[in-house]
Amino acid sequence: MSPIECEESCRSEYSGCLDNCRTRFGYCLEDCLASADDPSSRSALAVCIKECNAELEKCKATCDSDLEICTDLCRRGLIDKYILRSPACP
């Protein structure tokens, strides 16, 4: 794999990782809304949404970090020794 193909592969993985983050964020919000039927639980809903946002940021940070590692390994020609993780956040 050429360095350019390698970096394209990294970007593709990164894009998939971010998509996964957004999907999980959507499910998280749905869960918040589903548990907020009671109008008195507005503050609980706000806390829930804040937690979803925090998870989203953490997920994106993991994607960013994976992209940096992947790109660095491409540049050093070590990508064959590094199996791309599936685009999923921990």
Side-chain angles (χ1 to χ4, degrees):
M1 186 182 323
S2 76
I4 290 168
E5 287 171 328
C6 185
E7 289 192 29
E8 281 173 2
S9 171
C10 292
R11 278 193 291 278
S12 169
E13 285 285 316
Y14 178 68
S15 175
C17 185
L18 289 181
D19 285 346
N20 187 47
C21 291
R22 283 189 285 269
T23 300
R24 287 176 52 180
F25 178 68
Y27 289 140
C28 186
L29 288 182
E30 281 175 22
D31 289 345
C32 288
L33 293 171
S35 60
D37 296 335
D38 179 6
S40 68
S41 63
R42 280 252 162 79
S43 62
L45 177 62
V47 168
C48 188
I49 290 172
K50 200 181 275 185
E51 286 170 2
C52 290
N53 280 321
E55 283 299 312
L56 177 64
E57 292 310 311
K58 208 158 58 174
C59 188
K60 285 181 180 174
T62 301
C63 296
D64 290 346
S65 165
D66 285 353
L67 177 65
E68 281 178 34
I69 292 166
C70 185
T71 306
D72 181 51
L73 290 171
C74 285
R75 290 189 182 132
R76 294 197 274 150
L78 299 171
I79 199 64
D80 297 333
K81 296 175 181 61
Y82 177 76
I83 296 165
L84 290 177
R85 287 197 280 158
S86 64
C89 307

